[in-house]
Amino acid sequence: MSFKSRFRAPVSPLRRSFDQPSHRPTVAAMLRRDQPAEPVHCLRPQVVERAAVAFRAAFPGETMYAVKCNPEPAVLRALWKGGIRAFDVASMGEIRLIRTMFPQAAMHFMHPVKPRAAIRAAYQEFGIRTFALDHPDELAKIREERGGAGDLTLVVRIAVPKGGAAYDLSGKFGAAFRPAVDLLVAARAVAARVGVTFHVGSQCLDPQAYVRAIELASKVALRAGVRLDVLDVGGGFPVAYPDQVPPPVDVFGRTIGEAVARWFPDGVELHAEPGRALVAGGASVVVQVDLVRDGMLFVNDGIYGALSDAGVPAFRFPVRLMRASEAAPAPFGLFGPTCDSADRMNGPFWLPADVREGDYVEIGQLGAYGGALRTAFNGFDRARMVEVRDPPLLETPGYADAAVAA
Ligand SMILES: *Cc1c(COP(=O)(O)O)cnc(C)c1O
């Protein structure tokens, strides 16, 4: 008897219909033309490109894009147009995608815990030389799988306090101070270059969270007696939501630059790995209302689709009714299409009080962790994707004026 394992079928791919960039419709024109019965992901490649240009101008180091946030090829192409040439990858799927699309791109394998086979393939087949780690056993794996070569850049992920972020990303990864010191010493002995990285948590509104983490990184290095080649300040950079207005992106860039100059006076190669900040404004999702009941709208996308952050994490996304209405705004909650009562988004989302069955509602700032987290649960696996020319529903401070090449 021989056993064969099969790969599971993925979620239905988004049905794409892209017009020529010069003919991109507005969301309103697309709805008049298509009358879609499925949720529609409305991509704004020009907004993604502009965010990449603005972030790179503000950040005093190399900007790598964290691919997990939105791996849609049209989004990746827009980032490339905006000057992004390096990518933070965390899986073989992301590595293959980036290598196929951009053969010259730099990739940094920043997942602290990797399958051995992935380390081997990344090093031997894909030429990746930068690896993150937060445990001595991972160091042993990397040493064993790299095939003996000594040209590694090893970056130790340290744990940092949550600070001002909506999401804590230190619950799973990051070495505490003393183990981080030991790991840095051990990495120094086997690597060509060493670094420290951290993640302050996603949607971090407080620039001082980066300052505190940079200070901690310098203290780890000092205690280890190791001069850092690389300091990678991770992701976490915020965007605007209806109830959150972050400081402008250049304040983050300047604050980080000053902290690096203070704590690393001998200089260090500086990296950042933004995800959300580059792509959130670059996509919205248009949903259709199936029923209105007691202040709740039953709509055709939900937490198992592109709206998981509107569920338990309770993000309040900007919304607009895609029909003229004189009615006063009223607060609504949303129910997604599945039969799970957890498929609920309390918002509140402010829409004209006369919103009714059949209406289309556009939900903005969904380019980050929206489409990337879709599932096929309960058979609601269909969605379309179009490119539109509208501005984002909300502007994040510091991004609107970035100059984009024609
Ligand atoms: C998810 C992730 C990022 C991107 O985080 P954002 O908050 O979206 O900027 C960057 N680096 C690592 C290691 C990550 O896991």
Side-chain angles (χ1 to χ4, degrees), residues 66 68-69 88 110 157 199 202 235-237 273-276 369:
K68 77 168 186 288
C69 194
D88 159 11
M110 299 307 288
R157 170 94 171 246
H199 199 303
S202 204
F237 300 90
E273 306 164 351
R276 183 187 305 277
Y369 308 110

Side-chain angles (χ1 to χ4, degrees), residues 121-381:
Y123 186 90
Q124 290 175 11
E125 289 171 43
F126 292 91
I128 294 177
R129 292 296 177 265
T130 304
F131 295 84
L133 69 164
D134 68 357
H135 193 273
D137 291 354
E138 186 76 3
L139 178 61
K141 277 159 58 185
I142 295 170
R143 292 187 63 187
E144 286 159 24
E145 300 303 333
R146 78 184 154 160
D151 53 356
L152 293 170
T153 297
L154 294 180
V155 185
V156 173
R157 170 94 171 246
I158 60 171
V160 292
K162 179 181 169 207
Y167 273 108
D168 181 7
L169 292 181
S170 269
K172 189 169 178 183
F173 299 124
F177 188 86
R178 191 67 237 181
V181 168
D182 294 341
L183 191 53
L184 191 58
V185 169
R188 174 69 287 175
V190 299
R193 306 197 320 146
V194 292
V196 167
T197 189
F198 50 78
H199 199 303
V200 295
S202 204
Q203 182 65 9
C204 176
L205 292 164
D206 180 10
Q208 291 305 315
Y210 291 90
V211 175
R212 289 190 292 272
I214 290 164
E215 177 182 349
L216 187 60
S218 83
K219 290 186 166 156
V220 168
L222 196 67
R223 181 71 65 86
V226 168
R227 189 173 184 277
L228 293 191
D229 302 288
V230 173
L231 176 68
D232 182 331
V233 299
F237 300 90
V239 298
Y241 294 102
D243 52 347
Q244 297 183 6
V245 181
V249 61
D250 57 298
V251 170
F252 282 86
R254 207 169 334 115
T255 306
I256 288 171
E258 286 164 8
V260 170
R262 170 162 182 215
W263 294 103
F264 292 89
D266 299 336
V268 70
E269 187 179 309
L270 183 63
H271 298 173
E273 306 164 351
R276 183 187 305 277
L278 298 187
V279 298
S284 64
V285 175
V286 175
V287 297
Q288 193 167 29
V289 177
D290 292 325
L291 194 99
V292 182
R293 192 185 78 195
D294 304 331
M296 296 294 291
L297 308 179
F298 289 77
V299 296
N300 61 353
D301 203 21
I303 68 162
Y304 297 100
L307 296 170
S308 58
D309 275 346
V312 171
F315 273 64
R316 290 175 50 201
F317 295 98
V319 291
R320 64 168 169 160
L321 179 63
M322 297 305 296
R323 159 175 75 76
S325 168
E326 305 280 290
F332 288 96
L334 305 178
F335 278 127
T338 71
C339 302
D340 184 353
S341 51
D343 195 359
R344 171 186 190 126
M345 298 145 279
N346 288 332
F349 303 96
W350 288 83
L351 288 161
D354 66 349
V355 59
R356 57 184 183 239
E357 190 253 321
D359 276 341
Y360 290 108
V361 174
E362 184 179 24
I363 308 174
Q365 299 295 71
L366 281 172
Y369 308 110
L373 290 171
R374 288 170 62 229
T375 76
F377 179 51
N378 220 167
F380 294 100
D381 62 342

